[in-house]
Amino acid sequence: MRTSRATVVVTTVVAAALVAAVLVMLSRAPGPGRDPRAYPADRGTVTLAAALGRAHLSIPDCLAAGLRYAVPGPSHDLYLMLTGSGPCLERFVDLNALTDEGTASELPGWATDGRADGLGWRLDVDRGFTLYTGRPAPDHEVQALVRALSDGSAHQAYVRAT
């Protein structure tokens, strides 16, 4: 039995079309999705777990629900906003061996040069932040601005880790 040239061409075209259709469907299949804790400024190229690992930071479970983050630029600097009870924020400070530098009389450069604004953070020195700092590893630095919310219901920390 002899196959005609037209049958071979048609079969090849149909097979190629099916492969192309499957590839298109797979490329449009939903992935794991964007982390809902990520700020819009986050590039999405580094997971939170990887960013915390790079920064040598630990987050206590009690802060997991009130956590927001971004790794917005090519430098892989990590920005965190943490909300929780005073004791829970103290646990974060202790876990990461941060040093209390006292009430911030001025804010660090990242809090005033537009990077914090890019995350929607409106940081003002008059809000009574306490500055915490740490060096968890060579070439890594952590700065955290911590304050009690005005209604006393919780504390917030704005953190930059490099």
Side-chain angles (χ1 to χ4, degrees), residues 5-88:
R5 182 175 172 95
T7 304
V8 171
V9 169
V10 169
T11 303
T12 303
V13 168
V14 169
L18 286 172
V19 168
V22 168
L23 291 175
V24 167
M25 286 190 306
L26 289 175
S27 71
R28 295 182 183 200
R34 182 168 176 80
D35 187 332
R37 300 169 298 178
Y39 284 103
D42 182 69
R43 290 179 47 204
T45 57
V46 179
T47 65
L48 175 60
L52 289 169
R54 274 183 71 109
H56 304 277
L57 281 178
S58 296
I59 305 293
D61 290 340
C62 57
L63 290 175
L67 177 145
R68 298 287 312 272
Y69 77 95
V71 180
S75 67
H76 294 289
D77 289 354
L78 172 63
Y79 293 85
L80 295 165
M81 197 271 301
L82 307 167
T83 303
S85 68
C88 189

Side-chain angles (χ1 to χ4, degrees), residues 127-154:
R127 289 189 174 175
F129 287 106
T130 300
L131 175 64
Y132 292 87
T133 62
R135 288 189 120 0
D139 300 325
H140 291 277
E141 181 180 7
V142 177
Q143 293 180 322
L145 295 167
V146 179
R147 70 180 180 105
L149 296 179
S150 59
D151 65 3
S153 63

Side-chain angles (χ1 to χ4, degrees), residues 84-99:
S85 68
C88 189
L89 261 294
E90 287 175 21
R91 180 152 164 66
F92 169 76
V93 167
D94 292 343
L95 272 173
N96 295 292
L98 300 179
T99 302

